[in-house]
Amino acid sequence: MSPAIPSPRSTVQRAEFRADLQGLRALAVLLVMCYHIWFQRVSGGVDIFLMLSAFFLTGSLVRKLQAGDKPSLLGNWLHRFSRLLPQAALIIVATALTAWLVLPGTRWLALIREAFSSLFFTQNWTLATAEVDYYAFNTSAASPLQHFWSLSVQGQIFLLWPLLLIGCALLWRRYFSRQSFALVASIMFAAIFAGSLSYSIYLTEANQRLAYFHTGARLWEFALGSLLALGLPALSRLPEALRRAGGWAGLVVIIGCGALLDVQGQFPGYLALVPTLGAALLVISPGTKRRINPAGWLGAAVLVKLGALSYGMYLWHWPLLVFYLHLAPVDHASPLAGALLIGASIALSWASTRWVEKPLLAVQRAEVLPVLRFLGKPQLVSQALVIVVALSVASVPIAAWESNVEKRRAQAAAQAPEENPGAQAPDAWDPSPAALTLPLRTELDTEWQTPGQSCDTEYTPQDPAILFCNQGGDIWRKPDLVLLGDSHVQHWSEAAARAIEEAGGSWVMIYQPGCRYGSSDNLADPECAAFQPAARDYVEQLAPQMVLTVATHTVPGADAQGRSAGAQETMVEDYADAIEPFVQAGSQVIAMRDTPRYEYSIPECVDRNRAAPEACDAPRGSKLAEANPVDQFLDTHDYGSRVVSLDMSELLCPAGTCKAVIGNVLVYLDDSHLSKTFVNSAADRFAKYFTQATGWNKE
């Protein structure tokens, strides 16, 4: 996970500027960067930044309200977003351009969507909907834009908080003017704090990924910052020695939080109180620069200068890290590489602050744009202009990128079928050099196979442990074939369904991703542990004519003993016991050999080697055992024709080579699952192998 964005500038008036809090920002972002880059952990800095942003925002607005001013909602919003957007827009464009140049096409659509949502402050909801694994620091799956989720949360709060405070001020003046405004506002924020923290604790337990991105589960951190701003005058009257001791304790807590707490698994639940309360203790501590106070250290000149760059440092460091891990390629940064990444983040932040943020801040001053004075509020107009320009400058290249993707889609749709024969390609076939390989890397999310329709007949499994069920053919008749297992059964389902339906039969597929039927490897997963007996009972009672399962295990690469992936291919551990009920019920069991797996994504490899996709191929012997383990299993068991072997490896690995591309079609959609486009092209050959193995022909 990554931290929230510190605001680029404090909203506190210059007379109330505290150098130690600027230093606290610098310390927090340095901890975030170090934990990300060197330790592949998160630091809790997200919670500190969220709290501090509300502390500054509330303090600024409350001072104006208490002084009798009437803050403008529009003016407040324009002020804040005109400062947030310029650097954000620059970094979004820079990141998108770099991603287009160096990341594979498999990532483009997601990045385009994230670029727009980052620009318009909805990235947290985009990531929540996509169920992103935000803890995958060391993989190429990490998005270089996903850290913008926290800026999105802050942007949403920057819209909401002025509404709450101004609304509270109206209620105070009309109904509670005898009380202090701070008391009335504190009651409101205390209610928000209690409600949001309770929801955060619940959601963190129920769905921690969603909780991390959910604005509602973060409101309490902003409410805590607001309560701190409202209570600071009273808290500052506590004994100085007590506040000093609390400040030192808070500093220790902040530094050690990421190392000692399970931030990744337990935030933003109740444990997030630890770093936020630690930061609160530092805010309350004496602000003088005496060395005996934490402020004396946090207010050091170098930290204050870095605090002014903290916004850009945060925005730059994450894409730099993600691109480095992708290009190196490594799963973590070395001490030297990490130091260079931190240095580059600081340098880029200085440059973007110096040449983007500061000039645009100057533009926002009314005297810089005297031509706007006739409008009456030139500063508001100039701020609005900055926002419009920033959004436009960032949107145009992203939209152009999206248009290019759409153009390739149209080109692919217009391509003649002869250019992509897939498994039907003749031996002497030679593709046109201009022909696109299908499926496009931007279309892989449509390549999962779920033929037919969701089960909804008398043959539908009733056990709730069977979560996924599809059926096809004459669905009102007893199924001739049940496909049973995990995603490696699923990825042959288009071809199997066609073979059964063309012969006038019917079929049902029940599956649980990551749960190989008959295997004990994944029984620690409660859904898999429940699925296996439920599926066994369902198929045994149904007693279809045929049951297709995947009977072997393949692995992607060599093990610790140096054995190749092929040498490790084995039968599913408890296969004989698992299929015995089906054999006894009179069903014919089709024991299918697993498909080869790879240590890399086939589409990404082909994308990097467009001129020579054969660089992504692998020798058959390195991926599959020399002899099919199913055949060896059947040699030692007297099943006769009740259990038969189905081996598609000759289709996937012709002439001794497991191919990444066959007939200008990607064989795989990732590192182990077959693409729907390829399986559809292989349907006739699958039917031939299937019929030869089973002897089945309904007609």
Side-chain angles (χ1 to χ4, degrees), residues 91 112 168 403 547:
I91 292 163
I112 290 169
C168 184
S403 175
V547 182

Side-chain angles (χ1 to χ4, degrees), residues 417-431:
E418 295 78 19
E419 299 288 2
N420 305 93
Q424 301 175 30
D427 293 338
W429 179 76
D430 186 24

Side-chain angles (χ1 to χ4, degrees), residues 587-607:
S587 299
Q588 182 184 54
V589 176
I590 306 165
M592 190 174 193
R593 189 178 194 178
D594 201 0
T595 49
R597 299 173 189 254
Y598 293 81
E599 296 176 277
Y600 47 86
S601 166
I602 290 295
E604 291 189 10
C605 180
V606 171
D607 207 32

